[in-house]
């Protein structure tokens, strides 16, 4: 099982929308996972496999292993999130 955080500045509105869309992508791709939301400051000390966020958050997450970061263009674009995660999951060997 993969653990994913959706991260936005405060961990409220947009990361919740992202969480819903990431969960739908996991279902579509047949990957078992847990998705949680977080603000950029509250991610410190958390254990996770991936963070899904937007490129604007890149500088705020510079201490996170770049291999664990997945950047999407928009939290509201479900297909973009699914396509981006599919590519990442293939790289990770979670799907063929």
């Amino acid at each position: 099982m993969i653990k994913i955080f959706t991260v936005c500045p405060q961990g409220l509105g947009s990361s919740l929308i992202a969480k819903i869309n990431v969960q739908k992508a996991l279902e579509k791709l047949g990957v078992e996972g847990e998705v949680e939301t977080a603000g950029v400051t509250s991610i410190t000390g958390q254990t996770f496999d991936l963070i899904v966020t937007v490129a604007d958050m890149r500088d705020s997450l510079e201490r996170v292993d770049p291999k664990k970061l997945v950047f999407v263009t928009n939290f509201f674009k479900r297909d973009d999130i699914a396509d981006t995660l599919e590519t990442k999951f293939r790289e990770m060997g979670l799907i063929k």
Side-chain angles (χ1 to χ4, degrees):
M1 178 184 297
I2 189 167
K3 184 169 183 180
I4 300 172
F5 274 94
T6 57
V7 175
C8 70
Q10 301 302 318
L12 300 171
S14 57
S15 64
L16 183 57
I17 298 296
K19 176 183 177 178
I20 293 165
N21 289 330
V22 167
Q23 287 172 324
K24 290 185 183 294
L26 290 172
E27 290 170 16
K28 176 183 175 185
L29 297 169
V31 174
E32 195 174 323
E34 175 185 350
V35 185
E36 295 183 35
T37 62
V40 70
T41 58
S42 63
I43 198 70
T44 304
Q46 298 292 329
T47 302
F48 54 86
D49 297 298
L50 292 176
I51 289 177
V52 176
T53 192
V54 291
D56 290 346
M57 300 297 297
R58 186 180 306 271
D59 291 342
S60 299
L61 296 166
E62 63 186 9
R63 293 185 178 179
V64 175
D65 179 352
K67 294 176 190 170
K68 292 186 173 193
L69 294 172
V70 176
F71 295 103
V72 296
T73 57
N74 186 315
F75 284 140
F76 296 89
K77 293 186 176 184
R78 184 179 305 158
D79 291 339
D80 176 50
I81 291 172
D83 291 346
T84 303
L85 285 175
E86 181 177 5
T87 300
K88 185 64 175 180
F89 293 160
R90 287 186 193 285
E91 289 173 12
M92 296 172 72
L94 295 175
I95 59 174
K96 294 182 181 185

